[in-house]
Amino acid sequence: MTEPKKRVVFIKQSNAGKARVQKMTPEARKAVASAGAKARWAKAQPERAGLPKAEFGDDSRPLKIGDMEISCYVLEDERRVLSAAGLQNAMGIAPGGSMKAGMSRLELFASGKIINPFISSDLDDRVRNPIRFITPSGSMAYGYEADTLVMLCEAVLAARQARKLQPQQLAIAQQCELIMRGLARVGIVALVDEATGYQTVRKRDALAKILEAYISKELLPWAQRFPLEFYEEIYRLHSWDDLDPRDRSKPGYVGKLTNALVYERLPDGVLEQLRAQNPVDLETGKRKFKHHQFLTDEIGNPHLEKHLSKVIGLMQASDTWIEFKKMFRRVFKVQDGDRAGGRGSIRI
């Protein structure tokens, strides 16, 4: 009796291979088998090669707009995509047609003589060229960038406003109005990110990119980043006539002011990272380096110097510290309850 094919394949494995498989947990063996199956499936379908992959999103977590639900995804290149079928259904366009053989129903609708005059060239190009991508489950799907839904709704409502729609198209216009109302308070991109779970990852990635741009991987040599005018104006506005701003030993309050006026105005997360990389020495109670030595020469320090120029200008234009604070809060849009900047911070 001929043995099953999988038994034959197993017999041909090396002893090391058999030992490795035997040591695996059932879950690990299943994962390896699944990965192999996906690889063979992709190899057998060359049209899938090179297609972008969706890293977030599945049908169990659709985008919800009122009673409508649309499958949505975030691709590896960060494009937010709505499924073609979901978009079409949300607008109330009757299903039918095929994207592989002729036009889809959505393309037929957008190219019609009634709606097409209200369709921009960019939107027309999008509808004619849906995005092919691979879903997290491994299947190939068609979709459109998320804001395509908004653009289509605007075109339909413009056609209705111009009294160009046929009676049977008024129901589509009604759906478009419901969609636009549902999106009135929340952006479509934010909705997709929330539905797919990408929202938290986006925040982490955004912070990582900011820190990478601002925080240097190597400690930079000391350089004069804070002009003498910065300290001269602080001393003048506080009437510290008995103190010399050129003295390197400055009151601790000046350090707190420097954080509040300068470092806390850098992007969120930068000051926290600077404090982590340049901690206070427990013996001396001081930091070993200057914060600006940890900023990049390409972005971090240029931003710092540009900001300093603005702050110095505001101080020079002020006669009192109170007057300066009012201008500072207005120019830099400081609100009550803004980030406190951590322990020891002061409020401006």
Side-chain angles (χ1 to χ4, degrees):
M1 181 176 179
T2 303
E3 293 185 354
K5 187 175 180 180
K6 64 179 181 179
R7 291 284 302 277
V8 174
V9 173
F10 184 78
I11 290 172
K12 289 182 179 180
Q13 287 181 325
S14 65
N15 291 332
K18 288 191 290 185
R20 183 175 68 87
V21 172
Q22 289 173 350
K23 290 180 180 180
M24 287 183 177
T25 63
E27 291 79 9
R29 286 197 292 271
K30 183 177 179 181
V32 169
S34 176
K38 288 182 179 179
R40 291 191 297 273
W41 178 254
K43 187 176 180 180
Q45 299 186 73
E47 73 274 10
R48 295 163 57 96
L51 293 183
K53 297 179 176 60
E55 295 188 338
F56 297 87
D58 59 68
D59 292 340
S60 65
R61 300 183 65 181
L63 168 66
K64 295 182 179 181
I65 306 174
D67 295 332
M68 294 165 276
E69 294 186 349
I70 309 173
S71 296
C72 54
Y73 308 88
V74 176
L75 305 187
E76 57 190 347
D77 58 8
E78 297 191 357
R79 280 182 293 175
R80 283 74 163 176
V81 172
L82 304 180
S83 72
L87 184 150
Q88 182 175 299
N89 290 339
M91 292 182 64
I93 298 175
S98 170
M99 290 185 179
K100 292 184 179 179
M103 294 183 177
S104 67
R105 292 292 297 176
L106 182 61
E107 188 176 350
L108 286 171
F109 173 76
S111 62
K113 62 180 182 180
I114 292 177
I115 297 296
N116 195 253
F118 300 90
I119 301 288
S120 67
S121 58
D122 176 41
L123 180 55
D124 184 69
D125 184 64
R126 290 191 187 199
V127 174
R128 292 178 183 275
N129 299 281
I131 300 168
R132 289 195 304 159
F133 64 99
I134 306 300
T135 68
S137 64
S139 60
M140 187 170 69
Y142 290 87
Y144 299 96
E145 289 194 61
D147 60 347
T148 303
L149 175 60
V150 176
M151 296 168 71
L152 282 167
C153 288
E154 289 175 340
V156 172
L157 293 177
R160 186 181 68 174
Q161 179 68 24
R163 301 182 182 276
K164 297 295 184 180
L165 294 182
Q166 296 178 344
Q168 64 269 29
Q169 294 175 324
L170 292 176
I172 295 177
Q174 179 64 25
Q175 282 296 109
C176 289
E177 186 173 347
L178 293 175
I179 291 171
M180 296 300 286
R181 286 179 179 177
L183 299 176
R185 294 183 179 275
V186 186
I188 184 69
V189 169
L191 280 173
V192 173
D193 288 356
E194 182 179 358
T196 60
Y198 184 62
Q199 187 176 34
T200 55
V201 176
R202 181 194 63 200
K203 291 179 180 178
R204 290 199 304 269
D205 286 350
L207 175 59
K209 290 177 181 177
I210 289 173
L211 294 181
E212 183 178 357
Y214 275 81
I215 306 297
S216 175
K217 292 182 173 61
E218 297 179 356
L219 180 69
L220 299 179
W222 184 88
Q224 184 69 47
R225 301 289 183 184
F226 283 72
L228 179 60
E229 292 89 345
F230 176 73
Y231 300 108
E232 287 178 338
E233 292 302 322
I234 288 178
Y235 283 40
R236 177 181 69 84
L237 292 173
H238 283 86
S239 300
W240 294 342
D241 299 330
D242 55 336
L243 297 178
D244 186 354
R246 291 171 295 186
D247 191 339
R248 296 189 63 180
S249 179
K250 295 179 172 59
Y253 182 67
V254 173
K256 294 180 180 179
L257 280 178
T258 301
N259 280 335
L261 297 175
V262 181
Y263 286 113
E264 288 180 23
R265 302 305 125 197
L266 296 177
D268 285 342
V270 172
L271 178 56
E272 288 76 8
Q273 184 67 20
L274 290 173
R275 284 173 169 157
Q277 292 189 209
N278 188 30
V280 174
D281 186 283
L282 296 180
E283 294 184 2
T284 64
K286 298 180 179 180
R287 301 183 193 277
K288 188 174 181 180
F289 306 101
K290 298 296 184 182
H291 277 339
H292 59 72
Q293 289 181 262
F294 293 86
L295 295 176
T296 59
D297 271 338
E298 297 79 14
I299 295 178
N301 274 309
H303 185 165
L304 175 78
E305 292 169 1
K306 183 178 179 181
H307 178 81
L308 273 170
S309 296
K310 290 183 180 180
V311 174
I312 293 172
L314 291 177
M315 287 195 285
Q316 291 174 337
S318 305
D319 292 325
T320 66
W321 181 249
I322 293 177
E323 183 182 353
F324 162 72
K325 287 201 301 182
K326 289 180 179 178
M327 288 198 295
F328 182 90
R329 289 173 64 87
R330 183 172 67 251
V331 170
F332 294 105
K333 297 178 173 57
V334 179
Q335 302 293 329
D336 291 335
D338 268 5
R339 51 186 167 157
R343 186 178 61 184
S345 179
I346 60 175
R347 179 175 296 179
I348 293 298

